[in-house]
Amino acid sequence: MTREFKHIAIIGIGLIGSSIAHAVRKNELADKITGYAKTDATRAKALELCLVDQICSTAADAVSGADLIILCSPVGSYAALSMEIMPALKAGAILTDVGSVKGAVVRDVLPHVPAGVHFIPGHPIAGTEQSGPEAGFAELFLNRWCILTPLADADPRAVERLTAFWRSCGSNVEIMTPEHHDLVLAITSHLPHLIAYNIVSTAADLEQVTSSEVIKYSAGGFRDFTRIAASDPTMWRDVFLNNKDAVLEMLGRFSEDLSALQRAIRWGDGETLFNIFSRSREVRRNIIAAGQDTAAPDFGRGGPKTQ
Ligand code: NAP
């Protein structure tokens, strides 16, 4: 366990911000945590849950004197927050974030970063469909990847310190460019969320099948999409608005492949269907082999499975 920072400031205390606070407490990664959230209710809850030592009514107050500042609010809020906090940042501080897109974060934050502050964007690939300060837990980042996207001229020592921080939270750390991050995440995270939101919304609009039947027979597959589609609407609105090009590129490919499946079904081409499904099954096996999910049937939920 490496202790790189004395004072950590967390801006935005929802699922990710509160999980970081828990991980910092549990692993004793700082002497002091200060925090800021938008509403009085979240600020009060953060104190009540002892997530922070001090809660501030402005983001500028929360970052004052901090060695590590982590933006944990929806990415659409970063530009305004950056303008507010930059004058209050101490020289030598590391400014990072957890946003699910990286190119737009660099676009919105970098122009405001003063000389002497190390800006290293980041994204822990860990989450749940829950949100808010009560949703967090220290183990969220355990054995999950955290991607850092330092800019070409980033200070290697600052990158090392941030890497050590995420490792102390239990994560494995990978470095890549913001552009590559956005492309990878478009297919592994953003498109799956879009598909889940769409399938749930299609089911909600069906006329021939009642909504009670959709719920009753959801274990046939629909249920798993509803978990993803229950994710925070503000966060996901901001993701799609800020990773437009990569998502549209992946959506184009997805639509082509969907048309191929549609064609195979129409023409009774079982061989094509079988081959595509077999290849997909292999991907699932590889995810389990990489320790990124449980091998237990039905995600370890237990109980009889309905197909
Ligand atoms: P969340 O649970 O909804 O929490 C968001 C937090 O940001 C809340 O404390 C909220 O304060 C605060 N906030 C909202 N708007 C703000 C603003 N304009 N200025 C300052 N604070 C503001 O969200 P989350 O799931 O933790 O996501 C936070 C970030 O992590 C996002 O950038 C997201 O892309 C990224 N991320 C999420 C996941 C995931 O699975 N959820 C995974 C990896 C990364 P109030 O409660 O007071 O409104």
Side-chain angles (χ1 to χ4, degrees):
M1 215 63 70
T2 323
R3 192 168 214 234
E4 295 283 348
F5 305 100
K6 279 196 170 140
H7 173 182
I8 297 179
I10 300 176
I11 308 301
I13 312 174
L15 168 71
I16 302 295
S18 64
S19 294
I20 291 175
H22 282 296
V24 168
R25 296 269 197 234
K26 186 177 173 195
N27 301 303
E28 300 179 352
L29 300 179
D31 293 335
K32 180 179 177 188
I33 308 177
T34 49
Y36 167 74
K38 197 173 60 168
T39 60
D40 288 342
T42 299
R43 293 199 288 261
K45 190 51 86 178
L47 269 187
E48 184 193 319
L49 298 173
C50 293
L51 296 170
V52 293
D53 298 299
Q54 190 189 343
I55 195 79
C56 302
S57 52
T58 69
D61 285 346
V63 305
S64 173
D67 310 299
L68 174 66
I69 301 93
I70 314 176
L71 300 179
C72 301
S73 52
V75 291
S77 65
Y78 284 10
L81 278 171
S82 297
M83 276 188 259
E84 184 194 334
I85 63 172
M86 293 307 171
L89 294 182
K90 127 178 158 181
I94 295 179
L95 170 66
T96 188
D97 77 301
V98 296
S100 307
V101 305
K102 294 275 62 85
V105 166
V106 173
R107 178 199 66 201
D108 289 350
V109 177
L110 186 62
H112 308 289
V113 180
V117 168
H118 305 288
F119 171 49
I120 307 168
H123 178 200
I125 313 298
T128 74
E129 67 280 18
Q130 310 286 332
S131 37
E134 288 167 294
F137 52 100
E139 295 75 24
L140 180 67
F141 310 109
L142 213 56
N143 295 325
R144 296 284 168 257
W145 286 97
C146 179
I147 298 176
L148 300 182
T149 64
L151 303 166
D153 60 353
D155 175 7
R157 175 69 193 124
V159 177
E160 251 173 50
R161 293 179 70 204
L162 189 59
T163 300
F165 170 79
W166 278 110
R167 290 208 172 116
S168 297
C169 292
S171 294
N172 304 310
V173 176
E174 185 92 13
I175 308 267
M176 60 179 75
T177 63
E179 297 72 29
H180 191 64
H181 166 279
D182 287 355
L183 211 54
V184 172
L185 269 291
I187 188 66
T188 57
S189 170
H190 306 170
L191 195 58
H193 277 81
L194 196 69
I195 293 165
Y197 280 125
N198 192 49
I199 198 167
V200 173
S201 140
T202 302
D205 288 343
L206 285 178
E207 279 152 14
Q208 306 97 316
V209 180
T210 63
S211 55
S212 64
E213 283 173 309
V214 169
I215 291 165
K216 186 171 165 187
Y217 301 118
S218 65
F222 182 71
R223 181 178 71 178
D224 294 337
F225 284 103
T226 61
R227 186 191 69 73
I228 298 178
S231 300
D232 187 67
T234 307
M235 169 194 155
W236 282 98
R237 176 202 62 196
D238 285 3
V239 168
F240 290 113
L241 292 179
N242 287 285
N243 196 19
K244 195 167 155 181
D245 293 347
V247 169
L248 290 177
E249 156 74 17
M250 293 305 168
L251 199 53
R253 285 169 177 256
F254 176 80
S255 303
E256 281 174 26
D257 292 343
L258 193 60
S259 298
L261 282 172
Q262 195 176 6
R263 191 179 161 78
I265 293 169
R266 185 179 307 286
W267 293 100
D269 181 357
E271 193 183 336
T272 296
L273 293 175
F274 184 85
N275 288 341
I276 292 173
F277 298 164
S278 300
R279 208 174 56 162
S280 310
R281 198 173 207 197
E282 201 50 39
V283 173
R284 173 78 190 156
R285 288 183 177 141
N286 291 338
I287 288 171
I288 291 162
Q292 294 298 303
D293 205 352
T294 171
D298 200 18
F299 307 108
R301 283 180 183 120
K305 182 166 163 59
T306 324
Q307 283 299 339

